Amino acid sequence: MSVTIADIRAAQGRIAGAVDRTPTRHSRRLSQLTGAEVWVKFDNLHFTGSFKERGAMNRLLLLSPEERRRGVVAASAGNHAQALAYHGGRLGVPVTIVMPEGTPFVKIDGTRAHGAEVVIHGLDFTASTAEAHRLRDEKGYVFVSAFDDEGIVAGQGVCALELLADAPDVEALIIPIGGGGLIAGCAIAAKAERPDIRIFGVEAAMYPSFSARRRGETPKCGGATIAEGIAIKAVGDIPYALAEPLIEDVLVCQEEDFEKAVAFYATLEKTVAEGAGAGGLAALLAYPERFRGMKVGLVLCGGNIDARMLAVVLNREMVRERRLIVYRILGDDRPGMLSAMAAVIGGLGGNIIDVVHNRLALDVPAKGAEFDIMVETRDSAHADEIGRALRDKGYALRMGQDFAS
């Protein structure tokens, strides 16, 4: 079991012209935000929307003619699935993908659109993998792991070769960890090119499989995370053995960190990232003191996020920044009350998004009403200004909730 820089360079030559070479760019906005010098590898710009194409194409090209005829099967939450389906279709290799229940529709539809047969089975990746193994044994398919495969790891390592060619001075790479294929390949390639470079992994707090294994503990994994692409209960044996000696630290991030990272990629970089794809930036936001002043490379490794989820994340970030705020006001239920409050809000430049009347709450007088007025503001200071103006006009803002200070 080994993957060397020679294997990765061979993969680079093997997939050249078949997989896009994505750009690495310096981000002035993210650098200002985090205090690090940030370089972003935009792997969300691959045709199927994620870094998985390099590994999938390399592994398919390593199949024998007889294996190509039999076809392949894999378990995937979506990105490996789409990459395998797309390149399998181009090479004439039949592809069957087992996906867990709850996989985002954009990934299911994308996989089917590339011609693969999709089987929805199991509540998580572990159950889907078991079903994929069953289909392998029953139908004679070749099982292609999303990460626990030397050919996959070698292909993913090409990402680091490209990044360092474009940004040769970066001092650290921050790479999301699910099954470990990407960080294993990138760590091998980066350390071969630059032995002094520092490698950091990122895991979701709900699925800390790599960091738990490092401590000799059984990982406690489970829950619905926005970073479903790295929601893996057990890191692969092959990538773990290859990557563990090369990784300086694994940074565990909370859901809020991933949400912020997705939102900042959209609003500051004007690009779309899925939760797992934004993991590097999530770690940079959660642990800024670790990287302040350093030249850091982030792999934005995927952009396949449902439009609905992206909208939810962006709105939640507006709530965190108090640019979307609800003023809960107790007042008299009489004509003109709402228009008078709206005049105060509108007069200060607040944009009313929604209004809800509650006349049935038992802690509201029978002749009164509770008004929830959702307002778009410029920033937190503007939200406070509107709240003070409403109070100055005699309106009673309900306490106990962080709707207005």
Side-chain angles (χ1 to χ4, degrees), residues 108-259:
I108 297 173
D109 294 344
T111 303
R112 285 179 172 147
H114 295 312
E117 179 183 350
V118 175
V119 177
I120 305 298
H121 182 91
L123 297 177
D124 56 24
F125 181 80
T126 301
S128 296
T129 300
E131 176 64 10
H133 287 160
R134 190 192 68 78
L135 290 172
R136 173 201 60 194
D137 297 339
E138 178 184 302
K139 298 181 179 290
Y141 299 141
V142 176
F143 178 76
V144 178
S145 170
F147 47 82
D148 209 12
D149 182 290
E150 294 173 14
I152 293 289
V153 171
Q156 312 308 20
V158 177
C159 174
L161 294 181
E162 294 178 2
L163 190 157
L164 290 176
D166 292 341
D169 295 331
V170 296
E171 299 168 280
L173 298 180
I174 310 179
I175 301 172
I177 301 176
L182 178 62
I183 197 166
C186 285
I188 293 166
K191 285 288 189 179
E193 292 283 293
R194 290 262 314 280
D196 62 332
I197 200 166
R198 302 168 69 183
I199 309 295
F200 295 87
V202 185
E203 289 188 308
M206 293 183 185
Y207 292 85
S209 59
F210 195 106
S211 51
R213 184 167 176 176
R214 255 190 162 183
R215 295 190 301 269
E217 300 172 358
T218 300
K220 297 178 180 178
C221 298
T225 173
I226 189 177
E228 76 281 338
I230 55 174
I232 307 297
K233 290 185 176 180
V235 64
D237 292 335
I238 292 172
Y240 180 83
L242 295 169
E244 200 281 331
L246 306 177
I247 295 175
E248 180 172 328
D249 199 4
V250 178
L251 307 174
V252 176
C253 292
Q254 304 296 324
E255 290 301 291
E256 180 178 339
D257 302 321
F258 290 104
E259 290 183 30

Side-chain angles (χ1 to χ4, degrees), residues 105 118 124 181 266 298 334 378 384 387 395 403:
F105 293 130
V118 175
D124 56 24
L298 307 180
R334 55 182 171 79
R378 292 189 297 273
D384 288 340
Y395 300 116
F403 292 125

Side-chain angles (χ1 to χ4, degrees), residues 92-113:
V93 178
V95 175
T96 299
I97 303 294
V98 184
M99 292 183 165
E101 297 174 22
T103 298
F105 293 130
V106 65
K107 295 183 179 182
I108 297 173
D109 294 344
T111 303
R112 285 179 172 147

